[in-house]
């Protein structure tokens, strides 16, 4: 039986994503009513600049007092798309305290304080949903914490930032340098005026923390995630990758240790074989590869950012939360029962591609090989090119720990015949 009294929604933020949420709520109102079982009413919109014209939104709904809006008491669901840590954290907590459930797209806040927010939601018997916080429109959070809830997930690896994937794809397909590709991304609107959060991996690291926590039923905070940006990736790195039948992607990788006793979460550039599904992800698209015991290998692919795609994920959560509200139930909360330790990056085992500038004279290769052997790092292949007294040496290792590789590189730098370490890159997806 259809309920006639509407469920009231407060919208915090009305930028690119928020305005699309409001538009879809208006244009799809009848469909949303049918799917939820009750009308959904936009009861207020909190913004910083009330004078700005917002098409399709009644000016009477607009307020600068977000705190008063979430504390009204008649609000059923608060949709938070303002981002950042504060005031979002305080507003979400106040929403729970005053009886509202919350839908959020705030990856930074969830990566930093997700446990506390889940605890507040549980205390007040409310929902906290955040599909839009990771990979935009791609359904990923719900499959991990619901569809795969009966399975054991061993690895989650993916491209979770469209800006960096656009830049690296341009470098790969056109031979452009990093700055040239970044300039094009900025001109097309894929990169912010200050792209630091994207290109230095902060955005992807927050998403990795969220994914690892859900996949491994363990609390993983942003500080637990190892992070490297991709600003040092060069055209030469792509040339080396092509020689190996690979390309380069900025990856978020969350893994369960082979013995099952710990997990790791990391973000860094990596070479991946062209045969791997993630290698074909082009432009600003996202894709996440999940490996589990029973389901095997799954891949989730689609637009990872933008107003409409992100709003699609927000509305999906809104429908689920409203249905829960009508039934008097709540959806899945935090699952951290496993409480596995998060291992440091030094324990991570993977393959490496190391490019060295060396003197072009006899015995250099033997010296380098000896250093690798002394540190327990097995060499897979070596390629050497030399001219006019200078040479380059490219070494690809078998799987080795990050700690042992770091010790190897430190020792190589001390050799008189090694002029410098041109690049070090991990090789993943094999």
């Amino acid at each position: 039986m259809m309920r006639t009294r509407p469920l009231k929604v407060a919208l915090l933020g009305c930028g690119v994503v928020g305005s699309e949420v409001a538009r879809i709520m208006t244009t799809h109102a009848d469909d949303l009513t049918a799917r939820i079982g009750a009308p959904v009413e936009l009861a207020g919109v909190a913004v910083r600049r009330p004078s700005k014209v917002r098409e399709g939104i009644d000016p009477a709904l607009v307020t600068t007092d977000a705190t008063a809006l979430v504390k009204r008491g008649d609000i059923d669901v608060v949709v938070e798309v303002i981002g950042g840590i504060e005031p979002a954290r305080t507003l979400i907590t106040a929403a729970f305290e005053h009886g509202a459930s919350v839908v959020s797209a705030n990856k930074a806040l969830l990566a930093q304080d997700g446990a506390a927010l889940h605890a507040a939601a549980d205390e007040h018997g409310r929902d906290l949903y955040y599909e839009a916080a990771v990979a935009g429109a791609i359904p990923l959070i719900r499959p991990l914490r619901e569809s795969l809830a009966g399975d054991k997930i061993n690895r989650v690896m993916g491209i979770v930032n469209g800006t960096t994937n656009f830049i690296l794809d341009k470098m790969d397909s056109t031979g452009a340098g990093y700055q040239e590709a970044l300039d094009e991304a900025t001109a097309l609107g894929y990169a912010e005026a200050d792209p630091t959060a994207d290109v230095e991996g902060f955005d992807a690291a927050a998403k990795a923390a969220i994914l690892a926590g859900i996949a491994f039923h363990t609390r993983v905070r942003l500080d637990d995630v190892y992070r490297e940006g991709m600003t040092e990736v060069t055209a030469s790195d792509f040339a080396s990758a092509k020689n190996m039948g690979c390309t380069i992607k900025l990856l978020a990788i969350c893994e369960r240790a082979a013995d099952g006793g710990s997990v790791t979460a990391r973000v860094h550039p990596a070479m991946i074989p062209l045969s791997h599904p993630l290698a074909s992800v082009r432009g600003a698209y996202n894709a996440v590869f999940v490996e589990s015991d029973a389901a095997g290998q799954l891949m989730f692919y689609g637009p990872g950012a933008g107003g409409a795609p992100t709003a699609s994920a927000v509305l999906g959560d809104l429908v689920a939360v409203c249905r829960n509200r009508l039934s008097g139930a709540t959806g899945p909360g935090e699952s951290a029962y496993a409480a596995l330790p998060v291992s440091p990056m030094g324990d991570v085992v993977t393959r490496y591609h190391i490019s060295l500038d060396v003197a072009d004279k006899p015995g250099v290769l033997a010296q380098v090989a000896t250093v690798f052997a002394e540190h327990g790092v097995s060499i897979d292949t070596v390629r050497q090119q030399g001219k006019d007294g200078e040479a380059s040496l490219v070494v690809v290792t078998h799987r080795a720990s990050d700690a042992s590789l770091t010790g190897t590189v430190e020792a190589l730098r001390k050799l008189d015949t090694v002029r410098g370490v041109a690049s070090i890159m991990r090789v993943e997806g094999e």
Side-chain angles (χ1 to χ4, degrees), residues 131 134-144 288 299-303 312-313:
E131 185 68 65
V134 180
I138 304 172
L140 185 59
I141 302 296
R142 193 171 287 111
L144 286 177
V288 177
M299 184 162 142
F300 301 82
Y301 170 84
S312 171

Side-chain angles (χ1 to χ4, degrees), residues 5 14 29 39 97 101 130 146 173 184 202 213 252 325 353 377 381 402 428:
R5 184 173 67 80
C14 198
E97 292 171 350
S101 291
Y130 42 89
E146 297 182 32
S173 61
E184 182 173 352
F202 290 101
R325 191 82 171 187
H353 177 283
V377 179
T381 62
D402 187 82
E428 301 285 349

Side-chain angles (χ1 to χ4, degrees), residues 42-410:
L42 187 59
V45 182
V47 300
R48 285 185 297 177
R49 295 184 295 274
S51 59
K52 181 179 177 181
V53 176
R54 294 172 172 84
E55 187 176 349
I57 296 178
D58 183 352
L61 297 178
V62 176
T63 177
T64 58
D65 194 343
T67 301
L69 178 59
V70 301
K71 290 183 175 181
R72 271 177 37 176
D74 64 335
I75 299 297
D76 294 288
V77 184
V78 169
V79 174
E80 182 272 309
V81 288
I82 55 178
I85 306 301
E86 289 292 357
R89 174 170 49 197
T90 299
L91 292 170
I92 289 174
T93 303
F96 292 139
E97 292 171 350
H98 288 79
S101 291
V102 173
V103 172
S104 176
N106 197 329
K107 53 192 171 279
L109 177 58
L110 289 159
Q112 178 172 307
D113 289 319
L117 294 178
H118 274 293
D122 289 344
E123 179 184 353
H124 297 284
R126 295 295 177 247
D127 277 322
L128 173 62
Y129 276 50
Y130 42 89
E131 185 68 65
V134 180
I138 304 172
L140 185 59
I141 302 296
R142 193 171 287 111
L144 286 177
R145 70 177 185 174
E146 297 182 32
S147 303
L148 296 173
D151 206 343
K152 179 183 177 184
I153 297 172
N154 297 309
R155 196 172 202 230
V156 179
M157 179 173 77
I159 299 162
V160 295
N161 183 279
T163 300
T164 55
N165 199 58
F166 179 89
I167 293 169
L168 291 173
D169 184 37
K170 278 295 175 183
M171 293 176 70
D172 185 27
S173 61
T174 68
Y178 166 74
Q179 189 60 50
E180 182 182 351
L182 172 60
D183 290 344
E184 182 173 352
T186 304
L188 292 172
Y190 291 126
E192 302 285 348
D194 179 2
T196 303
D198 294 322
V199 300
E200 293 295 350
F202 290 101
D203 176 83
K207 295 170 181 176
I210 295 170
L211 292 174
I214 296 171
F216 307 130
H217 304 279
T218 291
R219 286 179 179 169
V220 180
R221 300 179 75 252
L222 181 58
D223 292 345
D224 296 321
V225 181
Y226 173 83
R227 177 193 55 80
E228 273 181 39
M230 41 77 71
T231 58
E232 301 301 319
V233 177
T234 66
S236 296
D237 291 326
F238 274 101
S240 294
K242 287 181 178 179
N243 285 333
M244 290 178 60
C246 293
T247 188
I248 299 171
K249 300 292 186 181
L250 184 75
L251 298 179
I253 303 172
C254 312
E255 290 181 304
R256 188 189 299 269
D259 64 4
S262 64
V263 299
T264 58
R266 50 197 165 103
V267 168
H268 53 71
M271 294 182 180
I272 57 172
L274 294 175
S275 58
H276 194 282
L278 291 177
S280 62
V281 178
R282 311 301 298 269
Y285 275 71
N286 284 192
V288 177
F289 202 70
V290 177
E291 300 176 25
S292 69
D293 277 0
Q297 298 179 333
L298 306 170
M299 184 162 142
F300 301 82
Y301 170 84
T310 305
S312 171
V314 170
L315 266 294
D317 279 350
L318 179 62
V319 169
V321 170
C322 286
R323 286 171 174 169
N324 290 344
R325 191 82 171 187
L326 288 179
S327 66
T330 55
E334 182 188 34
S335 176
Y337 73 91
L340 296 171
V342 182
S343 296
M345 187 63 187
D347 292 348
V348 171
V349 175
T350 188
R351 298 180 68 204
Y352 289 87
H353 177 283
I354 304 102
S355 180
L356 304 172
D357 295 326
V358 299
D360 186 16
K361 62 182 183 181
V364 173
L365 180 56
Q367 284 185 323
V368 169
T370 298
V371 170
F372 276 88
E374 289 174 346
H375 288 81
V377 179
S378 176
I379 294 176
D380 182 16
T381 62
V382 179
R383 187 174 73 254
Q384 184 174 8
Q385 295 178 321
K387 185 178 181 181
D388 299 329
E390 297 295 329
S392 64
L393 192 65
V394 176
V395 179
V396 179
T397 75
H398 288 291
R399 290 174 64 82
S401 72
D402 187 82
S404 62
L405 196 282
T406 298
T408 302
V409 172
E410 289 176 354

